[in-house]
Amino acid sequence: MYSIIVVPPPTTEDEGTGAQYRLAPGERLVFGRSVPGGGLRIGHDGVSRRAGEIAAHGTFWTLSNLSAHQTYVVENPEGAGEHIKVAPGRLDAPVPFEFSRIVLPAAGDLLPVEVWAPRHDYLRGEDGTDGEPTAPAFSVDRTKRYFAVLAALCEPRLRGAPHAPLPTMDQVVERLRPAWPAASRTSVQWNIDYLAVKLRLKPGPETAEPGPRLNGKKESLVSLALRFDLVREDDLVVLAAPSGRALR
């Protein structure tokens, strides 16, 4: 079974063909400006002749940076800006993202090489039934208005733009109108404040000590929600017009 799928950047000679490279566990793919047959040729003068190597290891993959001077960045397009850096000469750096984008700096251009790791292994069976159940890490109710507010804040980055600016308060209100016609700036701000306390980004009013307010509250909420998958792309359905059931 293939475990890694590599999509070349648009500067390659395969442009327009939809070419993909599929690697099974144990297989490797060398990429660069001048590589042997079977490798991924990237036809750009700013890419090293032998720039790097991708290796498939079952449910994950590694990246070797074979260039002499250039650091590569591997981004997580589905996250909140997470990335790792692979320094020149670094071999077999493990990449933790299911969907990744290797960014190759090339004489003023940034060339994206997309890598998918769709294969997963999971623990089989259920947890033991003895004793008390484990408390959830984050308790959120997807039928509540506060969750719709959180989904609206996360939406731009869930749609594939990891560094997209967060929506303004007015944009959030407008986005919520189909599911929550009475939404207003005041009610949205109340829910943001509620989420900050509920997700323990700030103490509740009964225990808070005098001091500065939490800065970057929206950014902190979105970062936490996306890092721990509190909101996923399929959760954006809560922003649609309700079918007989309104948000509470």
Side-chain angles (χ1 to χ4, degrees):
M1 174 185 177
Y2 296 115
S3 64
I4 303 296
I5 301 172
V6 182
V7 181
T11 58
T12 70
E13 58 191 10
D14 296 321
E15 183 176 3
T17 67
Q20 295 181 351
Y21 295 78
R22 297 173 180 266
L23 307 181
E27 293 183 337
R28 292 176 174 266
L29 176 68
V30 177
F31 61 88
R33 190 172 81 249
S34 177
V35 294
L40 166 54
R41 181 181 178 276
I42 302 176
H44 193 295
D45 291 341
V47 176
S48 299
R49 288 186 295 273
R50 195 164 178 264
E53 184 178 67
I54 295 168
H57 296 274
T59 59
F60 73 101
W61 60 282
T62 61
L63 173 64
S64 295
N65 183 347
L66 305 180
S67 71
H69 306 289
Q70 188 58 63
T71 294
Y72 299 156
V73 174
V74 184
E75 299 176 338
N76 175 16
E78 298 180 311
E82 296 95 342
H83 68 276
I84 63 172
K85 296 190 292 186
V86 183
R90 171 72 191 275
L91 300 178
D92 291 321
V95 178
F97 311 133
E98 177 180 344
F99 172 39
S100 307
R101 180 183 297 120
I102 306 171
V103 181
L104 306 176
D109 294 324
L110 296 177
L111 306 181
V113 178
E114 295 182 351
V115 182
W116 296 76
R119 173 178 162 180
H120 306 97
D121 288 340
Y122 292 100
L123 179 68
R124 302 292 182 181
E126 301 293 332
D127 291 337
T129 56
D130 296 336
E132 294 295 324
T134 302
F138 303 99
S139 178
V140 293
D141 186 339
R142 285 167 166 74
T143 68
K144 300 294 187 181
R145 288 173 177 170
Y146 69 74
F147 185 80
V149 171
L150 186 58
L153 290 172
C154 294
E155 183 177 29
R157 297 182 184 179
L158 283 171
R159 296 294 190 191
H163 303 292
L166 297 185
T168 65
M169 195 68 69
D170 288 336
Q171 288 172 331
V172 172
V173 171
E174 189 63 27
R175 188 68 183 92
L176 291 169
R177 285 279 163 76
W180 181 11
S184 66
R185 288 174 59 92
T186 301
S187 59
V188 167
Q189 185 61 59
W190 185 92
N191 279 277
I192 289 174
D193 291 337
Y194 176 78
L195 280 164
V197 174
K198 183 175 183 63
L199 299 180
R200 300 181 182 178
L201 294 176
K202 61 175 289 186
E206 69 282 356
T207 59
E209 297 180 359
R213 294 167 58 90
L214 175 66
N215 293 321
K217 194 180 304 180
K218 292 194 298 183
E219 184 69 48
S220 298
L221 285 170
V222 170
S223 178
L224 179 73
L226 296 182
R227 283 204 312 272
F228 292 99
D229 285 339
L230 301 187
V231 183
R232 299 181 174 89
E233 190 170 358
D234 55 3
D235 288 319
L236 298 180
V237 68
V238 301
L239 302 175
S243 55
R245 185 174 183 180
L247 293 168
R248 294 175 290 165

